[in-house]
Amino acid sequence: MDHFESWKDLLNPEFYIKMGGFWLILFIIFAETGLFVGFFLPGDSLLFVSGIYAVEIVKETFGGTGSDLLDTTILATAIAIAAIIGNEVGYWFGYKAGPALYKKEDTFLFKKKYLFQAHDFFEQHGRLAVIMARFLPIVRTFTPIVAGIVKMDKKEFFVDNVVGAVLWSFILVFAGHYLDKLFIDQFGIDLKSHLEMIILVIVVITTAPIIIKFFFGGKKEEKDSE
């Protein structure tokens, strides 16, 4: 895979890794919250697959360190920093734009319904929402905006932002890297050969909470209101 073939490539994290490597990965992570386009860009799967390619990515960018652990740490740290900056931009935008966003018409890159979902999530979980949202597609794109809209304390947001970004980045990147090594050493299975299945599993796991809330949350609210 060395060139764009179809729109399906945009959903494939390996496409970004092969096409742009280190810097494109960081831009995508930043764009998820900093440019509010996380509803179609790969997030969790990109981190996991990046972990599988961590040594190659760092070697191509900086020449490598000769240590799997250090190379993976460099990649995870860089991704965490990009995620932190993205969230801060999202918070600033929400802080400045405020209620005007709720009147904004839907576009390809902005869906108002996602903003309402993030608002409900924030109202339900409070400060923890900033940390928890990192692991939820779509919600993580709009939660920092909502935090800015409701004027969450800037210092509290920054602390939660850093914690969430570091946990998200290190857990998924290191999981990808060391699970790949485990499967190769123990079972002779190279996860690079099964990326489509891995991506599908990650998408199902990360979107399951949102799907469950969509189908069953409304019914619960109706019963509570009766």
Side-chain angles (χ1 to χ4, degrees), residues 115-140:
L115 186 62
F116 284 111
Q117 290 175 3
H119 185 274
D120 292 341
F121 184 79
F122 189 86
E123 287 292 316
Q124 183 178 356
H125 299 286
R127 283 188 61 183
L128 279 177
V130 178
I131 299 174
M132 296 168 61
R134 276 295 178 193
F135 298 87
L136 297 172
I138 300 177
V139 175
R140 67 168 159 261

Side-chain angles (χ1 to χ4, degrees), residues 59-70:
K59 184 176 181 179
E60 289 178 2
T61 309
F62 304 108
T65 65
S67 167
D68 276 19
L69 175 61
L70 188 53

Side-chain angles (χ1 to χ4, degrees), residues 188-223:
I189 299 175
D190 187 350
L191 295 186
K192 294 186 183 72
S193 302
H194 304 277
L195 288 181
E196 289 187 3
M197 180 60 67
I198 292 171
I199 293 169
L200 179 61
V201 170
I202 293 175
V203 169
V204 170
I205 292 175
T206 55
T207 57
I210 298 175
I211 295 174
I212 292 173
K213 182 175 178 59
F214 178 80
F215 282 103
F216 299 103
K219 295 180 180 179
K220 184 178 178 181
E221 290 175 1
E222 289 177 3
K223 290 181 179 180

Side-chain angles (χ1 to χ4, degrees), residues 38-77:
F39 65 93
F40 75 89
L41 289 175
D44 303 299
S45 58
L46 177 61
L47 265 63
F48 188 90
V49 177
S50 294
I52 295 177
Y53 285 97
V55 174
E56 292 94 324
I57 292 171
V58 173
K59 184 176 181 179
E60 289 178 2
T61 309
F62 304 108
T65 65
S67 167
D68 276 19
L69 175 61
L70 188 53
D71 285 345
T72 306
T73 300
I74 289 173
L75 180 61
T77 301

